[in-house]
């Protein structure tokens, strides 16, 4: 059986006896085993990072960017193989896996312009003969802990800016689909990155705790579910680290009475069911405003959902594939059962779906609930599966309040032709990323990604200039070059300096 090992100091390294199973979600079989590392594995990675990082930080930013250019070309040249590998472990369809890689590459492309982003600030003549300048310096060693649902994009969100800014970076990817992160690290080394600057350590909580407690790691970026995000934030911060921790989501799509319903149905099907709903920017809650809007929407939605094709990742006509594990499939089915018990109307039930020839795969059909109420647990919690919940709202204010009061605040969308309603919604809603007639408002690479409330702990978003800020520390220099004349004044030296 294929063994997946750490990538430490530029080489494959396995250790210990603990391993985890990596499934093929389409067949239900174990296709590989991944090393579950311990503190000693991390220590070896930290030693390699510490050795390599000072020299990497001294490489000028333009040359660092050239390595990223070469990496981007190598990933493009290997795109087909990477997408197939990703899909085989995650379960998403191959075309969607390419999108996962491409959205990560967009961030790498942004990082190719790092010299511009690191230019700093300068004030000439801030006082008599005094100039002030500030510069951004790398944190040193950074670490990233990533979820299963974007095994290429999210690691690249993190290691792109971290490395471009002159840091060494240690990645702890999800143990459920660990192969693509390894391939990305190998391609970085092939692109000319010095050994020890990008390393991959695999593992579970034991490895995460070792990262959070290690005194040499200055910054930790986490993406995953909210309880763990909060835990990582608290433990990392207690150890004196800079931490950004992105959590779960339950994104709402508000449909105003004037919306183009055909467009909304097409958008909702993609955003609620694409990647089997395993996206933190999925749209699992639809909020039609007014019963007439709700009834008209439901009438169009049901046949569209029933026409969705669930298939293996390699099926070019499939809209989505299996979910990641059997445990996750069971969890989704449990949430559907809870929704029924809580009194929501299950309009389309995806639980009995079986893909012929793949009876042991982790497939689940699409489900639609109507008359979901805000007090229901199945509404308050994240399901992370192909389940769309309709919560009817009487008016705009109630729809806005639903999104505002929800514990998560990652993304939200409004569908309308009314510019005033859209503007009002975007400025007032308590959510980090807003779409106006855009169902999945994932910001482009040169803006930044981050949610509010229980969707994000800590400071700074992912990528764009926010990524550069997270992975650097500001140093400010105040300088004076004496002109050689005898000093004037005697008592001023004892006062707090002012620039008067
Ligand atoms: P997860 O929280 O189970 O795992 C994330 C990471 O944490 C993994 O690397 C895992 O090994 C590690 N981990 C798991 N249990 C741990 C523990 N007890 N202590 C320490 N570390 C632990 O998340 P997942 O199931 O891999 O991913 C899905 C979740 O991620 C969803 O909640 C989704 O909304 C969220 N997500 C959020 C964003 C965002 O940007 N906000 C993006 C993608 C996914």
């Amino acid at each position: 059986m294929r063994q997946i090992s750490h990538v430490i100091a530029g080489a494959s390294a396995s250790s210990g006896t603990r391993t985890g199973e990596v499934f093929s979600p389409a067949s239900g079989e174990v296709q590989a085993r991944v090393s579950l590392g311990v503190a000693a594995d991390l220590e070896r990675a930290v030693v390699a990072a510490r050795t390599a990082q000072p020299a990497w930080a001294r490489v000028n930013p333009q040359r660092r960017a050239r390595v990223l250019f070469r990496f981007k070309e190598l990933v493009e040249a290997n795109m087909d193989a990477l997408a197939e590998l990703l899909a085989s472990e995650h379960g998403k369809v191959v075309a969607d896996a390419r999108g996962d890689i491409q959205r990560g590459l967009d961030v790498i492309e942004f990082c190719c312009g790092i010299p511009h982003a690191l230019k700093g600030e300068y004030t000439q003549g801030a006082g008599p003969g005094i100039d002030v300048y500030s510069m951004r310096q790398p944190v040193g060693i950074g670490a990233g802990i990533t979820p299963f649902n974007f095994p290429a994009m999210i690691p690249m969100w993190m290691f792109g800016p971290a490395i471009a800014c002159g840091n060494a970076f240690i990645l702890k990817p999800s143990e459920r689909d660990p192969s693509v992160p390894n391939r990305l690290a190998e391609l970085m080394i092939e692109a000319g990155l010095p050994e020890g600057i990008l390393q991959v350590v695999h593992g579970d909580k034991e490895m995460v705790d070792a990262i959070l407690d290690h005194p040499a790691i200055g910054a930790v970026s986490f993406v995953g579910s909210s309880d763990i995000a909060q835990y990582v934030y608290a433990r990392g911060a207690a150890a004196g680290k800079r931490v950004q921790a992105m959590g779960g989501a339950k994104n709402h799509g508000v449909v105003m009475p004037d919306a183009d319903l055909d467009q909304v149905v097409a958008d909702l099907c993609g955003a609620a069911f694409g990647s089997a709903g395993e996206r933190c920017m999925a749209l699992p809650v639809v909020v039609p405003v007014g019963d007439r809007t709700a009834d008209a929407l439901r009438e169009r939605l049901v046949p569209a959902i029933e026409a969705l094709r669930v298939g293996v990742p390699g099926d070019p006509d499939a809209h989505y594939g299996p979910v990641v594990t059997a445990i996750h499939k069971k969890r989704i089915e449990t949430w559907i059962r809870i929704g029924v018990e809580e009194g929501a109307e299950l309009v389309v039930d995806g639980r009995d779906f079986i893909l012929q020839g793949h009876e042991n795969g982790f497939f689940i059909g699409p489900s639609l609930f109507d008359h979901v109420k805000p007090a229901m647990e199945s509404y308050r919690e994240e399901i992370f599966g192909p389940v769309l919940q309709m919560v009817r709202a009487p008016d705009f204010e109630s729809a806005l309040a639903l999104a505002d009061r929800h514990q998560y605040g990652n993304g939200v969308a409004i569908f309308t032709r009314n510019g005033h309603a859209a503007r009002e919604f975007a400025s007032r809603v308590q959510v980090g990323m807003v779409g106006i007639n855009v169902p999945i408002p994932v910001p482009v690479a040169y803006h930044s990604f981050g949610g509010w409330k229980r969707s994000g702990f800590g400071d700074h978003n992912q990528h764009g200039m926010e990524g550069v800020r997270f992975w650097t520390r500001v140093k400010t220099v105040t300088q004076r070059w004496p002109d050689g004349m005898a000093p004037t004044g005697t008592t001023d030296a004892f006062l707090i300096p002012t620039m008067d």
Side-chain angles (χ1 to χ4, degrees):
M1 176 157 308
R2 195 160 57 93
Q3 301 291 324
I4 301 163
S5 310
H6 315 299
V7 180
I8 296 176
S12 173
S14 53
S15 72
T17 50
R18 287 179 67 231
T19 58
E21 293 174 326
V22 178
F23 290 93
S24 160
S27 69
E29 285 162 9
V30 177
Q31 60 160 310
R33 299 200 75 88
V34 59
S35 295
L36 298 179
V38 295
D41 300 309
L42 178 68
E43 192 55 43
R44 281 187 295 142
V46 168
V47 168
R50 220 186 226 145
T51 308
Q53 190 269 333
W56 177 243
R58 283 194 301 273
V59 171
N60 75 50
Q62 197 168 3
R63 283 173 187 250
R64 293 203 297 262
R66 282 185 195 140
V67 174
L68 295 176
F69 270 117
R70 282 195 292 276
F71 171 70
K72 177 182 166 307
E73 286 168 0
L74 284 171
V75 173
E76 282 164 351
N78 286 275
M79 180 63 95
D80 291 345
L82 284 168
E84 269 166 37
L85 182 61
L86 193 160
S88 82
E89 291 184 356
H90 177 286
K92 63 177 77 176
V93 295
V94 173
D96 200 31
R98 295 171 77 92
D100 183 336
I101 298 165
Q102 184 55 51
R103 289 300 297 236
L105 275 189
D106 291 352
V107 173
I108 299 296
E109 218 169 274
F110 171 82
C111 294
C112 289
I114 200 69
H116 182 69
L118 288 179
K119 279 191 308 199
E121 295 174 327
Y122 190 92
T123 302
Q124 189 181 23
I130 292 179
D131 306 324
V132 178
Y133 62 95
S134 51
M135 55 183 130
R136 295 198 160 269
Q137 296 191 324
V139 173
I141 304 176
I145 301 158
T146 52
F148 81 85
N149 68 326
F150 281 99
M153 177 185 80
I154 295 178
M156 285 193 263
W157 277 2
M158 298 177 183
F159 73 63
I163 288 171
C165 290
N167 297 284
F169 186 87
I170 298 172
L171 173 66
K172 204 304 286 172
S174 169
E175 61 275 42
R176 287 181 242 168
D177 43 14
S179 292
V180 166
N182 270 19
R183 283 295 295 136
L184 295 176
E186 288 161 6
L187 291 174
M188 266 291 209
I189 292 162
E190 204 179 318
L193 191 73
E195 286 170 10
I197 296 301
L198 176 59
Q199 304 179 90
V200 185
V201 292
H202 295 287
D204 51 15
K205 177 170 166 50
E206 187 169 344
M207 182 56 88
V208 171
D209 287 348
I211 290 170
L212 296 174
D213 295 344
H214 202 295
I217 296 174
V220 174
S221 180
F222 173 91
V223 177
S225 51
S226 288
D227 287 349
I228 307 200
Q230 190 165 13
Y231 165 78
V232 164
Y233 176 64
R235 187 159 174 161
K241 298 181 198 319
R242 177 179 292 191
V243 187
Q244 57 176 191
M246 278 66 189
K250 190 97 180 194
N251 302 336
H252 291 46
V254 172
V255 182
M256 296 296 286
D258 64 352
D260 174 346
L261 288 190
D262 291 329
Q263 185 63 49
V264 170
V265 168
D267 284 350
L268 275 177
C269 282
F273 302 107
S275 196
E278 294 171 318
R279 292 182 183 138
C280 69
M281 288 299 273
L283 210 52
V285 178
V286 58
V287 186
V289 172
D291 272 332
R292 279 177 59 181
T293 312
D295 293 341
L297 183 64
R298 174 171 160 169
E299 201 181 307
R300 289 170 166 84
L301 256 180
V302 172
I305 292 174
E306 285 173 344
L308 290 176
R309 181 181 167 101
V310 185
V312 293
D315 176 352
D317 296 323
H319 294 109
Y320 71 87
V323 299
V324 68
T325 56
I327 294 173
H328 191 49
K329 179 180 169 185
K330 198 159 226 73
R331 200 175 153 263
I332 296 164
E333 288 168 344
T334 303
W335 276 120
I336 296 173
R337 179 177 53 73
I338 292 172
V340 172
E341 286 166 7
E342 289 180 312
E345 182 193 357
L346 185 56
V347 183
V348 181
D349 183 354
R351 285 176 295 181
D352 294 333
F353 177 83
I354 288 173
L355 187 66
Q356 279 200 347
H358 299 269
E359 287 75 9
N360 295 325
F362 312 138
F363 294 94
I364 179 161
S367 294
L368 173 69
F369 275 106
D370 193 1
H371 301 289
V372 173
K373 303 288 178 213
M376 292 179 180
E377 202 188 348
S378 57
Y379 164 75
R380 292 200 314 265
E381 299 299 328
E382 182 180 41
I383 297 177
F384 219 55
V387 182
L388 178 60
Q389 294 169 295
M390 193 185 288
V391 186
R392 295 170 176 235
D395 51 36
F396 172 84
E397 289 297 333
S398 330
L400 177 66
L402 274 173
D404 281 356
R405 289 193 193 131
H406 203 279
Q407 62 167 328
Y408 296 118
N410 213 40
V412 73
I414 184 167
F415 299 93
T416 181
R417 290 185 170 96
N418 182 325
H420 175 73
R423 184 173 184 274
E424 210 38 28
F425 186 82
S427 67
R428 286 170 57 194
V429 71
Q430 299 297 301
V431 172
M433 293 171 281
V434 182
I436 297 172
N437 299 311
V438 171
I440 306 184
V442 176
V444 291
Y446 40 97
H447 285 258
S448 72
F449 184 108
W452 290 11
K453 297 181 279 185
R454 283 186 60 72
S455 297
F457 302 88
D459 291 323
H460 295 307
N461 283 357
Q462 298 281 353
H463 64 72
M465 283 309 294
E466 283 283 275
V468 173
R469 288 182 195 111
F470 183 76
W471 294 108
T472 53
R473 293 181 291 190
V474 176
K475 183 180 279 180
T476 307
V477 178
T478 303
Q479 68 176 8
R480 181 171 61 178
W481 295 101
D483 61 5
M485 291 166 63
T488 57
T490 47
T491 53
D492 283 2
F494 294 86
L495 308 177
I496 178 82
T498 66
M499 294 301 175
D500 299 331

